[in-house]
Amino acid sequence: MSKQIWLTSLLFLGFSLGAFGQSKVSLSGYVKDAQSGETMIGATIFLPGLQQGTYSNEYGFYSLTLPPGSYEVVFRYVGFQSDTLKIDLQQDFSYTVNLSAVESSLKEVVIQAETTEDRLANTEVGTEQLTIERIKELPVLFGETDVLKSIQLLPGVKPAGEGNSGFFVRGGGADQNLILLDEAPVYNPSHLLGFFSVFNGDAIKSTKLYKGNMPASYGGRLSSVLDVRMNDGNMKNYELSGGIGLISSRLTFEGPIVEDKGSFMVSGRRTYADAFLAFSSDSTLNNTDLYFYDLNLKANYELGDKDRIYLSGYFGRDKFGFDDNFGLDWGNATATLRWNHLFNDQVFLNSSLIYSDYDNVISFGDAQITSGIQDFNWMESLSWYINPNQTLEAGINAIYHTFIPGAISSDDEQSPFNNTELPERYGLETAAYVNHEVKLGKQLSVNYGLRASMFTVLGPGTTYDYDAEGNIMDSTVYESGEVIENYAGLEPRISASFLVNERISVKGAYSRNRQYVHLLSNSTTTSPVDVWIPSSETVLPEISDQVSLGYYQNFPWTGYELSAEVYYKDLQNQIEYRDGANLLLNETVENELTFGSGYSYGVELMFRKTKGKFTGWASYTWSRTMRQFDEINGGAEFSARQDRTHDFSLVGVYTPSDAWSFSASWVYYTGDAVTFPSGSYVIDGLTVPYYTERNGYRMPDYHRLDLSATWFGKDPRTNLNLSIYNAYNRKNAFTIDFRESEENPGTTEAVMTYLFPILPSVTWNFNF
C-alpha cells in the first residue's frame, strides 16, 4: 500500500510543478456578510480578464496566486450585491470583502448558494446545497424548519417514512449516511421518534449534501455526507431572534465578544406537548413525558491576522414515557474545538478536536436498558491554493470509538430482569488523504484524490468461533490495548467536468468508500433502541463503488436550470439479520447476522427556477435497489427495504410582495418493499402467519401536499407563518398489520395505521 501512496503523491506533485515557473504573488482574505460579519461559505471570487476564479472555503477564506499585474476581481454570493476590486497586484495582498444583502432579497428568493454558471463549471457530481433561507420557507410538519425533511425533496434522496427525518440516498441504508454538525458526527439525528431532526434552523449557516461522490477528505460511510455548519454569531451587533409555535418554541441570542474580532451564538429549542397533557383528566396522560430540547452553542475569536479559534457544541435530549411503566430517553452531545492558521497567503490549516456521544435509555418500571457510542476525533486538514487553476488538499484523521452495546439494571429485587452488562468494545479508525483539483484549460476541470483508511479492533474483548449451527465452539480473550483485528484499504475518488459551451456541461465521477461502523436495527431508520457495532473478525467492512454521469444545462431564460444524473452503485459485505434474530443485549450478536452483496442504479432529473418572484423545482428519481444473501430468500435477489421505483417532488415559492410569501410542496413515491405473510395456518387453534419471499410485497403508494403562507406585516423584524401539513388529508399507511378477523374467525385481515390527517400549525417569528 505504501508504494501506491508514494506513487500517487508523486503524481500530484507533477501536476503542481508548473506553479513555480515564474514569480507569483497572492491575493487572499475572507468573504463576510456586511451586516452581521458572518463568514460566507462557497462565495465566488472571479477574474473576468482570465475567466478564472475560486471559492471561499468552509471558513470563508479564499486565496488566488497570480503573476504580478493589474486585475479586476469580482466577489459574488447569490442574494447579495457583488463587489468589484481593481488592483495592481505586485506583492502579496490581504483583502477582506464585506457583501451587502440585496434589498429585494424577499422577491428574489434563490435555491442554492452558488450561481448557475458556477454549477456548470465545478467538478461536483451528485452534490446538492440548500440555503437556510430557502429551507425556512418550505412547509414542514408542525411549522418547524427542518434540514433533513428539506433535503428529502431533492432527487436521489428518499424519506424513510411518514413524518420521519431519516433518509436513504441512492439505495443506501440510513446508517450509511455520515451526518456532521460542525465536523462532529451525529449518530441519531432525530427527535420525537423521527418526527423532527436535531438541526435547529436558527442556528444553521449552511447545508451541503454529497450523494456518494464525496471528496477524499470525507470517509467512513458508503452513501452520503450531509455537512451542516452552524452560524458563527453576529460580529457587529447583539441580536435576539426566535419563534413561538403551537408545539415548540425557540430562542437565539448572538453578538460580538469584541466587535469584528470575535462573536458568540446561543440557540435553544423545546417542545411542550407535556405541558398540555398535564391538564388532562386521564391519569395516564397527565403523567406522560413527551418532549425534547436542544441547545446549540458557538464562539469564535481572531487571535491575530493568521489565527482564529472556534468552539462549538450541541446538546439535545428526548424524553418519552408513560407514567412509570415505560420510557425512552435518548440524546446527542457534540463538541468541536477548531484552530484556523494561515502559514502564508496560499496555505491554510484547520486543526480540530471533536467529541461526539450518543446514548439511550429504555425503562420498564424500575429496570433500565442502556446503550450508546462515543467518539474522540482528531483531524488535520491542509489546503494549498497553488494558483487559480490548482488547489491541493491533504489531511489526516483519527477516531477512537467506544461502543456501548448495552446493559440492564434494576434496583427492584422482585424485577423479572437480571442485572446484565455487556462489555464495551473499542476501535481506532484512522485515515490519510490527498486531493487535487486542477483546471486543464477553459473547458476541462478534474478533481481527483486518494484516501487510505484503516480500522483497528482493540481489546479488551472476546472473540468466538461458531459451528455450522451457530453454537459457540471456542473463544479467545484479548487484554486491553491488544489488536484483535486490522482492516485497511484505499479509496480512490475522481470527478471531471467538461464545458460544452457557456450553457451546457457534462460531468462524470467514480468513488470507492469503506464503512467500518454498522447499525443494528429492526426499524427502517435510526431509532433510540438501535445499537452500533464495529467491524470485527466476523463483520467485514462494507464497501461501495459508485459511477455517475451528469448533464447540466442553463437555459437562455434567466434562472432556469436542468440537470440529469445517472448512477450505478455496487455494494459489498452488506448486513442483514437471520430470521428470528435477537439483537437486544446479545454479546454474540454477530452470530445473528448474515452477509451478502447488493447494487443500486437510477436516473435523477431536476428542473428548477432560481430567480424571480416565483421559484422552485421539480425533481424525479427512477431507481432500483437489490440485495442478495445466500441465507435469505433461497439465495435469490430481493428488493431492499428502501427500494422505490418512482419518487417525485414539486416545490414552489411565490413572493408577490414584501408583505407575503407562499410556498407549497407535493411529494409522491411508490410504496416500500415489505415482507407480508403469503398465507396462514392453524396450530392448536391459533392462526399463524406464513412467510415466503423477503420484501416481496409493496406498501401503498404515498403522496401528500403541504402548504405555507408567511405574512411579514409592517414590522420587518417579525412575521407570522401558517403551515398546513397533508392539505388534502391523504391517509398514508404508516404500518400494515395482520390479525385474525373478529367477524370471520379463522381468516386474516389487514389493518392499516396512519399518523397524520390534515394538520395546521401557526408560528410567530421575531428578530430584534
Side-chain angles (χ1 to χ4, degrees), residues 69 119 124 236 276 313 478 527 585 594 643 654 661 709 751 766:
R119 187 173 177 84
E124 294 178 343
K236 299 180 179 295
F276 296 107
Y478 293 86
S527 75
L585 292 175
T594 183
D643 179 48
Y654 178 57
S661 178
V751 180
F766 57 88

Side-chain angles (χ1 to χ4, degrees), residues 347-365:
V347 182
F348 181 94
L349 173 69
N350 177 66
S351 304
S352 298
L353 293 175
I354 303 163
Y355 170 79
S356 178
D357 179 80
Y358 167 70
D359 72 281
N360 68 76
V361 181
I362 309 170
S363 301
F364 299 94

Side-chain angles (χ1 to χ4, degrees), residues 134 137-139 614-617 650-654 662-666:
R134 161 61 69 180
E137 293 186 339
L138 300 179
F614 178 78
T615 60
W617 69 83
L650 275 175
V651 177
V653 178
Y654 178 57
F662 304 93
S663 64
S665 64
W666 183 75

